[in-house]
């Protein structure tokens, strides 16, 4: 099990700067060693500032034609809907830095959770064959309830061991989801959580500072077997952590 690296930024802007640097350094390293990088994006609001930073300040340092983009989860809506993680990433980030369309592997969740999860797993196994199923980088967020991806407390997806992508159910609409699972996430070379906001402070403390059940706090199930695990936090969400657990950035 990987010991997490916990880094606390003074504010959301500084967090985005640190996350963008990790992204670019990781992608550059993969391209230099293999000629291609495989990066899995987080959805929701947590990564937006990082994506904006990449598109504005650091995008020029990456050869985007050599970056393959994937998604950790998706809501079962059409890709032109506001709730679509693909739409958010495309508008805020991917469309601005010139990632070739053929390099963007979206989850076609509008096909329904069963079909789209099966098809996306096939895509992952095909595209990641050159790395033996390893992403170079996975970005994740964490909800107030401790969920990550679309793996929610108490759902069967928490216990999946033989699939890389499965249907998920959220407690809020749109409820039908498609999500990657711990086996493929925990095979990644680097996993970076982006978490901010005082409303998540108690859950974060429980995940990082206390032994907790994964069924209760799914984010605790992220523990790369042979890679780095980094938690990038702002001061508000880290307020309840013992100071000895983290380094300020």
């Amino acid at each position: 099990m990987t010991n997490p690296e916990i880094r606390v930024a003074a504010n959301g802007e500084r967090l985005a700067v640190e996350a963008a640097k990790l992204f670019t350094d990781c992608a550059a390293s993969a391209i230099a060693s293999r000629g291609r990088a495989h990066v899995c994006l987080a959805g929701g609001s947590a990564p937006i500032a990082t994506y904006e930073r990449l598109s504005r300040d650091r995008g020029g340092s990456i050869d985007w034609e050599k970056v393959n983009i994937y998604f950790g989860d998706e809501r079962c809506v059409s890709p032109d809907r506001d709730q679509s993680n693909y739409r958010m990433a495309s508008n805020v980030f991917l469309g601005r830095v010139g990632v070739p369309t053929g390099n963007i592997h979206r989850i076609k969740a509008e096909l329904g959770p069963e079909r789209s999860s099966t098809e996306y797993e096939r895509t992952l196994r095909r595209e990641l064959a050159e790395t033996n199923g390893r992403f170079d980088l996975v970005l994740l967020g964490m909800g107030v309830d401790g969920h990550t991806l679309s793996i929610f407390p108490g759902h069967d997806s928490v216990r999946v061991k033989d699939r890389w992508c499965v249907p998920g159910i959220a407690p809020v609409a749109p409820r039908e989801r498609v999500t990657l699972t711990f086996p493929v996430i925990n095979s990644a070379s680097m996993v970076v959580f982006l978490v901010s906001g005082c409303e998540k402070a108690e859950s974060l403390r429980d995940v990082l500072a206390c032994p907790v059940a994964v069924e209760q706090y799914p984010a605790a199930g992220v523990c790369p077997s042979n890679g780095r695990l980094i938690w990038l936090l702002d001061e508000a969400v880290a307020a309840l952590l013992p100071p000895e657990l983290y380094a300020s950035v």
Side-chain angles (χ1 to χ4, degrees):
M1 177 178 173
T2 297
N3 290 322
E5 304 171 38
I6 305 173
R7 307 178 185 181
V8 177
N11 51 49
E13 181 179 358
R14 183 61 189 166
L15 188 155
V17 169
E18 290 294 317
K21 185 177 187 304
L22 283 171
F23 187 112
T24 54
D25 289 349
C26 184
S29 177
I31 292 169
S33 64
R34 191 192 320 114
R36 184 165 297 276
H38 298 277
V39 178
C40 183
L41 300 184
S45 60
I48 290 177
T50 298
Y51 296 162
E52 290 176 337
R53 173 73 57 174
L54 282 165
S55 66
R56 183 173 67 248
D57 296 337
R58 300 190 62 85
S61 65
I62 298 177
D63 184 351
W64 291 106
E65 291 190 358
K66 297 178 180 178
V67 178
N68 272 19
I69 297 291
Y70 308 84
F71 294 83
D73 69 328
E74 188 57 275
R75 301 171 176 97
C76 289
V77 298
S78 62
D80 60 350
R81 295 280 298 277
D82 288 343
Q83 299 97 325
S84 166
N85 287 333
Y86 164 78
R87 181 180 187 274
M88 178 275 289
S90 182
N91 289 348
V92 173
F93 171 33
L94 302 177
R96 298 181 180 181
V97 298
V99 179
T101 302
N103 289 13
I104 302 172
H105 307 285
R106 75 175 184 89
I107 301 171
K108 298 178 181 178
E110 70 274 15
L111 301 177
E114 294 290 347
R115 179 179 171 186
S116 57
S117 61
T118 298
E119 290 191 2
Y120 204 59
E121 179 154 349
R122 288 197 197 105
T123 297
L124 293 177
R125 291 186 181 274
R126 180 185 69 246
E127 297 295 330
L128 297 178
E130 68 175 1
T131 63
N132 295 314
R134 300 191 78 188
F135 288 113
D136 295 299
L137 173 65
V138 175
L139 299 179
L140 297 176
M142 189 193 78
V144 174
D145 61 356
H147 85 267
T148 191
L149 302 163
S150 281
I151 303 178
F152 290 89
H155 192 264
D156 290 345
S157 54
V158 171
R159 294 178 288 276
V160 171
K161 299 184 184 302
D162 59 349
R163 292 281 307 277
W164 289 6
C165 190
V166 297
I169 294 291
V172 296
R175 296 196 66 205
E176 289 191 325
R177 308 285 177 96
V178 176
T179 185
L180 301 195
T181 61
F182 293 138
V184 69
I185 297 300
N186 287 334
S187 294
S189 296
M190 181 185 292
V191 179
V192 178
F193 273 95
L194 308 175
V195 190
S196 61
C198 60
E199 70 280 3
K200 300 178 183 178
E202 290 188 9
S203 295
L204 180 78
R205 176 201 59 198
D206 291 347
V207 169
L208 293 180
C210 307
V212 294
V214 175
E215 288 79 5
Q216 182 181 4
Y217 292 102
V222 177
C223 47
S225 56
N226 187 27
R228 296 173 68 188
L229 174 59
I230 300 173
W231 288 78
L232 281 181
L233 316 171
D234 70 0
E235 289 185 348
V237 77
L240 302 181
L241 293 180
E244 62 271 18
L245 278 187
Y246 60 82
S248 297
V249 294

